[in-house]
């Protein structure tokens, strides 16, 4: 069997058979017929005259007639057609008369080749309505903002002005702005602005005045506190036509006065030539063009800060139709095929239609219209005419013309005759005919044409056969359908006329698809099974019987019920409660049974479910190949309360999705993102706080997406230029462009949205819209999403667009910074540090530090500092002594600002205060409450203070007793101490240099240690720290009270000799290269006037933690050199201990280790000198613990 030929293939075959058209006699040249002037829209006043132009050019004679609203317009004494074709109406009648002249006018020009129709022109009368919105009286504070508005409808649009106390309000004032949209704005209102205001609307023929509204200005408060910017008049979505003027209002309040700026959401630049700002922030776009369409963002920002708020509005620009592809004139032979292509664009999408000699064309068997194409098959002489493509929308209409010239041939065959058809099967028909009686020997081919006989606008198919056959079997037909056939014979010079038409039907067949069933329960012991009729294309004949099968899911026994083909529901009774039943159905024609449906499950309700809601009435409808519409109705007589609905769905053989929770007011839900040509099972039930109600089950099949393989119609292209922009932390704005193709049908879009890396496909979000933009909401903050869009036109669906990735904005910080600490590091400078707010997802881009003295805080005058999000400290400089400062910090990001931390106090004492009060003071936010002017001590705090004071007094008393006891002990051993301390220095130095290992030299080494710091190099005073700390070239010199010693707890009578023998060997053994030993100076009680040295342990006051280069935790800053996070009280002794561990030799206390210790620490390049025993040590080392003594050396 020869393959069928679509309408576009036959001319390609005949192109090789026919001679060039230029050699064929009878080909006419087309003299152009076109309009030099066409009528335009007009607005006039009643009783005024009006001219509507129409001038046609072409081969004469040309006759011009006029149409009004599609009907021929008759001339009379008021209405005349002038000699040049224009229409003149002397007095336009309005709506008051029975005959109104308002409407759409077109002129029709005709010559001998055909006729053309002009574009439509709308004639309207000037009208004005009453005010829809009147200004409203208002009251504002002095210095505030006032706003009045009014609204009125008129043709043409009215010009609105304002009156103040019934006199014209001057518009050249800087504080007063009058918008063309009917809004009056008054900034910095004062007493002189109080009065009555009204708006005046005027057109070419009318004038209206609104009601008056009063403005009352009340005195403002003396002090104005800081207020975040607030937009009080937001821009509204606007739809405008080309070349109109658009006003986007934006009015904001706040203190200080906010600055208003404009931008586009798609980051495109705003047209500076046609755009200007009116007043304090209103955007006016004049001569609107298509490129002005988009989303505009108004942003109100507090000067000098990042505090802002935004408002958005969408500008939609409507455009009249314009052609992007014009039809071309064609010359075709008789029985040939002509195709005209015409494409237009506009906003909204234009509707396409075709005209023949000024009359609208309707599809029939030969003439088909496919969106933007006109196809004429089997051309006849009557098809020779002028054809026009008309595109129209709400903004106007436009027409394009082309002529079809039909070539006639004298020597052509007669039509085939005796055509008859015979049914072969449910999908095949045999067609036979006899050769033409005239010129049959010149026939080179036959063309068989067939189409369905029922319905409108059916597509016609062709099969081209050779001249050696007079019969053909046409297959791939639909069962139980009637088809019409005719045949055309072709020869080199042309084609014959059509043969007689013959109609034949195909046989029935078994149903191609079972019905879609729905299952509900009215009681715990029944199931109502209902189904819809099978669509005709799948029925393949008349259904005469339905076979219903059901069984328990736990049993294999199947019960069968046969029902007539006219029944569409059946009640199964006597079932078990709370049991799962499986139901399926089969349809049959006279030929036999078709395919059975899959088993559909349904659980009968429980017998105790007295208050359970009844099952809803469920309806499923496929919207396209990937979308199903779910609709339902709840029984209004159901007494049970309903809290909501649960929706479940699953593809046949797949896992069930759901539940999807819906509100009680929801009666519609759309399932998107489905697969084409799949069967889906949907169940729905109502529920309340007691239990779930009766469920309704139903199955439905999605249709196939029409593709090239199915209908030779290519799928539409996907949307392009998909653009995503984060709007908030939970929403992203999407915008895309419609592909460049024209259609008269409605276009819908499906948006696919899911987080990047999502594994569960059931969590993919599908959204539907008919616009080219959408705000996707309900997203997670600071999460990256992927988006794709596809479009649907009828049953056609495009591929998915390229994926676009975008992240939502982070949430504004929900908590304040934690761990706020304030430390006074100089007389007029304090360090404030903090930690980021709690929460791993919190994103901080900036910190705001507010600080003020108590007096300034009461007046509301804060000093403001800002730091980037990576910085967690700042310096507060130029503080005034004698004041108490209050500090608080807030975190913010691009979304907004979080709350401030609890206030922290910092006392800056006067310079003449006591030394103990000049120590750096610090308060933590964890210890501070919201500042109220006082601190409150609770019972636990008072108890802690009392216990601490008691312990301190006890320690002081014990120390006094020990001092008295030790004083007596020193007197008894004074003579021995003096004797050992008066030995020559030279002998002590020599004993150290020799480093004898004998026990006798230990006493001399001790004497050398005690006298080694008698010669101190030049020193300097650390004046920056505000203390009397003296520092020499080897480190700080610690001043101490000579009455305080760490050896008070030792018995000098028992351990005098042992103490002397222990101290020096351990001091020498602990020394290692690269360490520093800091020696304190004090006067020997046994030898007045002679300076001796003892190892001095370091307490918290031994280091200047604010200025030491070796303090742990110090940082480099650009403000004031180095400073530490920690206070003096928090630096423990372990922080200054050297990290180098002592050797095993250094811990030995026997005499035999003396030589080893000496060899280990001697510098061969520089002999040791007695006066430099502890001096040549680098200042970077810490201290050692003496194992025997338990204190640092």
């Amino acid at each position: 069997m020869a393959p069928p030929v679509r309408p576009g293939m036959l001319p390609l075959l005949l192109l090789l058979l026919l001679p060039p058209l230029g050699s064929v006699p009878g080909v006419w040249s087309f003299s152009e017929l076109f309009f030099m002037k066409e009528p335009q829209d007009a607005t006039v006043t009643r009783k005024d005259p009006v001219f509507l132009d129409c001038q046609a050019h072409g081969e004469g004679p040309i006759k011009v007639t006029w149409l009004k609203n599609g009907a021929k317009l008759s001339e009379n004494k008021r209405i005349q057609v002038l000699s040049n074709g224009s229409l003149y109406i002397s007095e336009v009648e309005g709506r008051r008369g029975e005959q109104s002249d308002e409407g759409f006018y077109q002129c029709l020009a005709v010559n001998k080749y055909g006729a053309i129709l002009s574009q439509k022109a709308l004639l309207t009368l000037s009208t004005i309505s009453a005010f829809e919105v009147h200004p409203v009286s208002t009251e504002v504070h002095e210095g505030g903002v006032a706003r009045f508005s009014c609204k009125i409808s008129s043709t043409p649009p009215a010009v609105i002005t304002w009156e103040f106390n019934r006199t014209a309000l001057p518009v050249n004032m800087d504080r007063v702005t009058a918008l063309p949209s009917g809004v009056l704005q008054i900034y910095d209102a004062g007493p002189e602005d109080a009065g009555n205001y009204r708006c005046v609307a005027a057109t070419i023929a009318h004038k209206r005045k609104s009601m008056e509204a009063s403005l009352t200005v009340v005195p403002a408060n003396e002090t104005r506190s800081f207020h975040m910017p607030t937009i009080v008049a937001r821009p509204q979505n606007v739809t405008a036509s080309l070349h109109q003027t658009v006003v986007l209002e934006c009015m904001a309040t706040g203190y200080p006065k906010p600055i208003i700026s404009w931008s586009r959401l798609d980051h495109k630049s705003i047209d500076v030539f046609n755009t200007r700002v009116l007043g304090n922030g209103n955007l006016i776009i004049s001569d609107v063009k298509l490129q002005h369409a988009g989303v505009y963002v108004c942003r109100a920002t507090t000067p000098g800060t990042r505090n802002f708020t935004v408002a958005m509005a969408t500008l939609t620009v409507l455009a009249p139709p314009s052609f992007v592809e014009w039809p071309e004139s064609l010359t075709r032979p008789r029985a040939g095929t002509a195709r005209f292509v015409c494409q237009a664009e506009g906003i909204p999408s234009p509707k396409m239609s075709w005209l023949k000699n000024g009359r609208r064309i309707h599809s029939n068997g030969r003439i088909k219209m496919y969106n933007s194409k006109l196809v004429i098959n089997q051309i006849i002489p009557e098809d020779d005419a002028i054809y026009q493509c008309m595109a129209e929308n709400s903004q106007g209409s436009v027409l394009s013309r082309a002529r079809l010239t039909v070539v006639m041939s004298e020597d052509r065959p007669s039509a085939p005759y005796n055509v008859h058809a015979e049914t072969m099967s449910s999908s095949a028909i045999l067609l036979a005919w006899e050769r033409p009686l005239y010129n049959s020997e010149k026939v080179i081919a036959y063309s068989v044409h067939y189409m369905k006989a029922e319905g409108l606008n059916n597509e016609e198919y062709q099969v081209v056969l050779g001249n050696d056959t007079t019969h053909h079997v046409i297959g791939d037909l639909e069962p139980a359908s009637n088809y019409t056939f005719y045949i055309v014979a072709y020869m080199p010079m042309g084609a014959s006329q059509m043969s007689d038409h013959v109609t034949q039907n195909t046989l029935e067949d078994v149903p191609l698809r079972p019905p879609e069933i729905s299952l509900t329960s009215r009681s715990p012991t029944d199931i109502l099974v209902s189904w819809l009729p099978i669509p005709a294309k799948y029925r393949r004949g008349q259904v005469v019987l339905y076979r219903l099968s059901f069984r328990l899911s736990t049993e294999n026994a199947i019960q069968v019920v046969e029902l007539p083909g006219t029944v569409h529901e059946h009640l199964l009774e006597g079932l078990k409660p709370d049991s799962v039943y499986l139901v399926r159905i089969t349809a049959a024609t006279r030929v036999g049974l078709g395919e059975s449906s899959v088993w559909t499950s349904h659980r009968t309700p429980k017998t105790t479910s007295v208050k359970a809601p009844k099952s809803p009435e469920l309806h499923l409808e496929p919207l396209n190949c990937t979308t199903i519409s779910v609709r339902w109705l709840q029984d209004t007589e159901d007494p049970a309360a309903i809290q909501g609905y649960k929706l479940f769905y699953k593809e046949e053989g797949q896992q069930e999705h759901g539940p999807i929770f819906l509100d009680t007011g929801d009666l519609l839900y759309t399932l998107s993102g489905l697969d084409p040509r799949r069967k889906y099972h949907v169940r729905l039930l109502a529920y309340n706080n007691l239990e779930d109600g009766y469920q309704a089950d139903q199955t439905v099949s999605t249709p196939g997406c029409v593709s090239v393989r199915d209908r030779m119609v290519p799928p539409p292209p996907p949307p392009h230029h998909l653009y995503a922009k984060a709007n908030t932390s939970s929403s992203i704005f999407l915008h895309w462009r419609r592909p460049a193709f024209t259609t008269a049908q409605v276009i819908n879009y499906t948006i696919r949205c899911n987080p990047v890396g999502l594994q569960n496909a059931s969590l993919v979000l599908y959204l539907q819209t008919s616009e080219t933009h959408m705000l996707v909401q309900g997203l997670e903050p600071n999460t990256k999403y992927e988006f794709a869009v596809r479009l649907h036109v009828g049953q056609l669906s495009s591929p998915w667009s390229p994926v676009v990735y975008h992240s939502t904005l982070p949430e504004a910080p929900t908590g304040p910074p934690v761990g706020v600490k304030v430390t006074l590091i100089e007389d007029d400078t304090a360090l404030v540090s903090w930690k980021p707010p709690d929460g791993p997802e919190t994103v901080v881009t900036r910190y705001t530090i507010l600080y003020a003295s108590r007096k300034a805080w009461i007046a509301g005058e804060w000093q403001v500092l800002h730091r980037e999000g990576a910085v967690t400290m700042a310096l507060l400089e130029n503080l005034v002594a004698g004041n108490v400062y209050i500090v608080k910090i807030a975190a913010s990001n691009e979304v907004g600002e979080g709350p401030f931390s609890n206030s922290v106090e910092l006392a800056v004492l006067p310079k003449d205060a006591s030394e103990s009060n000049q120590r750096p003071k610090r308060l933590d936010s964890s210890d501070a409450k919201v500042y109220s002017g006082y601190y409150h001590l609770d019972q636990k705090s008072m108890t802690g203070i009392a216990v601490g004071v008691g312990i301190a007094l006890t320690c002081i008393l014990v120390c006094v007793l020990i001092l008295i006891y030790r004083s007596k002990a020193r007197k008894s051993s004074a003579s021995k101490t003096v004797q050992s301390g008066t030995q020559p220095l030279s002998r002590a130095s020599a004993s150290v240099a020799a480093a004898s290992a004998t026990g006798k030299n230990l006493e001399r080494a001790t004497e050398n240690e005690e006298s080694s710091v008698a010669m101190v190099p030049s020193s300097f005073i650390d004046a920056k720290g505000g203390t009397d700390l003296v520092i020499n070239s080897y480190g700080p010199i610690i001043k101490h009270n000579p009455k305080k010693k760490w050896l008070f707890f030792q018995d000098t009578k028992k351990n005098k000799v042992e103490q002397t023998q222990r101290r020096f060997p351990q001091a020498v053994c602990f020394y290692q290269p690269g360490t520093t030993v800091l020696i304190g100076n004090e006067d020997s009680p046994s030898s007045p006037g002679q300076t001796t040295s003892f190892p001095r342990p370091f307490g918290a006051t031994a280091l200047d933690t604010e200025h030491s280069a070796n303090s742990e935790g110090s940082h480099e800053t650009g403000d004031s050199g180095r400073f530490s996070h920690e206070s003096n009280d928090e630096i423990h002794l372990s922080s200054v201990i050297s990290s180098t561990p002592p050797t095993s030799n250094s811990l030995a206390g026997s005499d035999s280790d003396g030589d080893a210790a000496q060899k280990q620490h001697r510098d061969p390049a520089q002999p040791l000198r007695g006066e430099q025993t502890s001096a040549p040590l680098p200042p970077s080392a810490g201290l050692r613990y003496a194992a025997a003594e338990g204190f640092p050396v």
Side-chain angles (χ1 to χ4, degrees), residues 513 622 624-628 651 673-680 700-706 709-710 790 795 797 800:
R513 181 180 293 180
N624 51 55
C625 60
T626 61
T627 308
I628 294 176
E651 183 183 341
L674 308 179
D675 292 330
R677 297 187 179 181
R678 295 289 189 273
K679 187 180 292 290
Y680 285 87
V700 68
S701 297
T702 54
C705 293
V706 179
R709 184 185 67 243
D710 294 331
R790 72 189 304 182
Q795 295 296 324
S797 295
W800 289 103

Side-chain angles (χ1 to χ4, degrees), residues 147 186 250 383-384 392 427 556 617 682 730 742 757 869 1135 1170 1191:
R147 179 181 182 271
I186 303 175
C250 189
D383 294 330
D384 192 313
E392 55 183 337
S427 60
N556 294 327
E617 183 180 347
V682 180
S730 62
T742 305
S1135 64
F1191 62 88

